[in-house]
Amino acid sequence: MLAAGAERGLRLMGTTELAGWGRYPRVGCELATLRREDELCQRLGASTLIARGNGRSYGDAALNPELTLSMLAMDRLLSFDAEQGLLECEAGVLLRDLLALYAPRGWFPPVVPGTAEVTVGGMVAADVHGKNHHGDGSFGSHVESFRLATGSGDILTCSRDRNPDLFRATVGGMGLTGVVLSVRFRLCRIESEYVRAETLGTADLDATMATLAASNDWRYSVAWIDPSAKGSILGRGLVTRGDFATDATAASRPTPASRRQLPSPALLSVGLNQASIRMFDALYHRVGRFRSGLRPVHYRSFFFPLDRVRGWNRLYGRRGFVQYQCVLPVAQSSRGLRAILEHVASSGHLAYLGVLKFFGRQGEGLLSFPMSGYTLALDFPMRSGTVDLLDSLDEITASHGGRVYLAKDACCRPDHLREGYANLESFAEVRRAAMNGCEFSSVMSRRLGL
């Protein structure tokens, strides 16, 4: 049970305009920083709230006008079992800090998303996936347990054996069941900080999907899709795949990836238009096709290439951007992906970035995003007609048995959500019991009627 009082309260920051990584929407939120567990008792039962990590969910999942609770000060490492690789840390620990500490010692997280600028608590809440989902599943599959503060003020240990319903509702539950305080999960052994990687060019969507399917024996695989390609070259791309190198295979490694960030690209956005984007995409595909052969790449360059560009989300302009990410079941993937790409190509809108991955299985959480199939992510700058475009993409996704990723979403309608997530009623039942005096909610949950 949470303590009845605290020597010092939550650090209140006042009303602050907050946004997700897409910088859309922007919402005025009462912001406070949690520094100790016992500080929560001052707020539970008094208002609604949502926990917020490092603000890397793209849309409105970590925004609550009444109270948005920053977890970044909850950043202690609690224990590490070097025999089993079992780590326990507070929820506000950043992935980048874990990597800096443990990767040189031969340990690596079992699953990492496309940025290292996320908190461990956020990785649980979004049940993040990575380039190895086809073999290793999402992050929640590797979580042993976590401690969760519920609306009644209880702190519960949740695992597959203890409070299993709450465990399944919290993994992928976007912070709507309570505040994750600490997490226990296993790291994996690695022999070096380098990945042996190769990149293969593909001529169209069928070839891209086939190359990804043929890469299942590789631990990591991902495809860049040319979002401006049309007609016979629709869906062309570059498939990159790799495995961690051994000490021997990394002996000829290049200079380690620089930790220095490149300047913010905000000023470059002035020169971005459909013509320049199409020119870049064509050049990128052409150059990538000739970078064949295995080569050692530092893990930072392989997993987190955009982290080197400081504030790259500002590239899309003042109105921000949205990332549309959906997953389609295997049997419907080819038709559904083609329908989405063709619709975008004929819409007058142009995606700035396209990424395709293959998922191996359904996630453990009641609201986990992955299912066995292909997932496509497309970045769109916000402008007139963008919301209507996303709504039409939701229609295509739903008609092919798919669903959207809540950690990226900013525009989905409640009816489309219900079509994609079959466990919503079970999730709502567990959530109601967990709140019991305090409502954990966000702009996203209210928009979607969760």
Side-chain angles (χ1 to χ4, degrees):
M1 188 77 176
L2 288 170
E7 294 180 3
R8 54 189 174 90
L10 291 173
R11 183 182 177 187
L12 298 176
M13 310 296 290
T15 301
T16 305
E17 186 178 72
L18 296 176
W21 187 243
R23 304 175 68 230
Y24 172 86
R26 298 179 179 89
V27 179
C29 299
E30 183 71 20
L31 180 64
T33 297
L34 182 67
R35 298 186 179 280
R36 294 200 316 267
E37 293 178 5
D38 57 6
E39 295 171 353
L40 268 174
C41 65
Q42 302 169 60
R43 288 288 180 164
L44 292 178
S47 65
T48 71
L49 65 91
I50 196 69
R52 177 182 174 93
N54 203 29
R56 285 303 181 109
S57 58
Y58 278 54
D60 49 9
L63 307 176
N64 184 315
E66 287 78 23
L67 180 62
T68 299
L69 190 62
S70 173
M71 301 296 292
L72 291 177
M74 298 283 289
D75 60 353
R76 295 180 303 165
L77 300 179
L78 302 176
S79 66
F80 181 63
D81 183 337
E83 293 295 322
Q84 302 184 63
L86 188 59
L87 173 70
E88 182 173 13
C89 65
E90 289 183 326
V93 170
L94 288 170
L95 175 59
R96 71 160 186 246
D97 294 333
L98 290 182
L99 291 167
L101 180 62
Y102 288 105
R105 302 181 185 183
W107 295 99
F108 201 81
V111 173
V112 295
T115 174
E117 301 295 329
V118 295
T119 61
V120 172
M123 291 170 70
V124 173
D127 193 18
V128 297
H129 54 270
K131 296 177 176 65
N132 57 333
H133 191 279
H134 57 278
D136 296 325
S138 51
F139 184 69
S141 299
H142 305 272
V143 171
E144 298 282 321
S145 64
F146 51 80
R147 295 170 62 251
L148 183 76
T150 65
S152 63
D154 294 322
I155 296 180
L156 303 178
T157 297
C158 301
S159 68
R160 292 167 185 82
D161 300 318
R162 299 177 63 181
N163 302 302
D165 290 344
L166 201 49
F167 180 89
R168 293 184 65 220
T170 302
V171 172
M174 302 308 296
L176 299 177
T177 59
V179 179
V180 175
L181 298 171
S182 63
V183 184
R184 295 175 75 242
F185 63 100
R186 293 183 185 275
L187 303 179
C188 302
R189 282 283 191 186
I190 57 173
E191 293 188 45
S192 78
E193 295 183 56
Y194 288 81
V195 177
R196 294 176 67 247
E198 69 175 8
T199 297
L200 305 174
T202 58
D204 54 27
L205 179 61
D206 289 340
T208 303
M209 295 177 68
T211 304
L212 276 175
S215 301
N216 281 346
D217 291 340
W218 295 72
R219 184 169 187 183
Y220 302 103
S221 62
V222 64
W224 169 82
I225 290 285
D226 181 350
S228 59
K230 299 180 180 181
S232 62
I233 60 172
L234 183 81
R236 71 177 178 181
L238 299 170
V239 175
T240 300
R241 54 196 190 183
D243 292 294
F244 267 102
T246 64
D247 280 336
T249 57
S252 60
R253 57 183 177 262
T255 303
S258 172
R259 294 175 184 270
R260 293 180 59 189
Q261 286 190 312
L262 300 176
S264 171
L267 296 177
L268 296 178
S269 62
V270 177
L272 286 179
N273 52 47
Q274 293 202 4
S276 63
I277 291 295
R278 288 194 174 95
M279 184 180 301
F280 171 83
D281 290 339
L283 180 62
Y284 188 76
H285 182 261
R286 178 175 298 180
V287 172
R289 289 172 57 193
F290 294 102
R291 297 187 64 189
S292 59
L294 286 169
R295 63 191 189 282
V297 180
H298 194 271
Y299 77 79
R300 287 195 296 271
S301 298
F302 184 81
F303 292 106
F304 318 117
L306 285 176
D307 281 355
R308 286 201 62 208
V309 184
R310 183 172 60 250
W312 65 263
N313 57 336
R314 296 179 179 273
L315 179 68
Y316 297 85
R318 294 181 178 179
R319 297 179 64 182
F321 75 104
V322 290
Q323 183 174 103
Y324 185 81
Q325 184 165 5
C326 65
V327 59
L328 301 170
V330 173
Q332 298 290 326
S333 288
S334 180
R335 288 190 295 272
L337 291 173
R338 188 172 299 279
I340 288 173
L341 293 174
E342 287 177 345
H343 184 79
V344 172
S346 63
S347 69
H349 295 262
L350 183 64
Y352 280 23
L353 180 67
V355 176
L356 184 68
K357 292 195 288 279
F358 181 74
F359 282 162
R361 59 181 183 270
Q362 174 71 42
E364 287 191 55
L366 294 176
L367 294 188
S368 289
F369 170 63
M371 67 170 70
S372 180
Y374 288 83
T375 177
L376 175 67
L378 299 169
D379 286 0
F380 297 99
M382 282 302 300
R383 61 183 180 88
S384 177
T386 300
V387 173
D388 290 337
L389 170 67
L390 299 181
D391 191 63
S392 63
L393 296 184
D394 283 340
E395 294 278 1
I396 296 172
T397 294
S399 68
H400 289 83
R403 55 177 173 245
V404 299
Y405 190 17
L406 296 181
K408 305 290 181 67
D409 175 58
C411 302
C412 187
R413 298 198 321 243
D415 55 325
H416 288 145
L417 178 78
R418 288 193 295 271
E419 292 180 69
Y421 286 87
N423 296 315
L424 281 178
E425 290 187 10
S426 297
F427 173 79
E429 183 178 345
V430 177
R431 181 180 174 230
R432 281 193 295 269
M435 287 193 294
N436 189 28
C438 178
E439 178 187 335
F440 300 101
S441 65
S442 62
V443 174
M444 181 202 74
S445 69
R446 295 170 188 177
R447 169 172 55 83
L448 293 173
L450 289 174

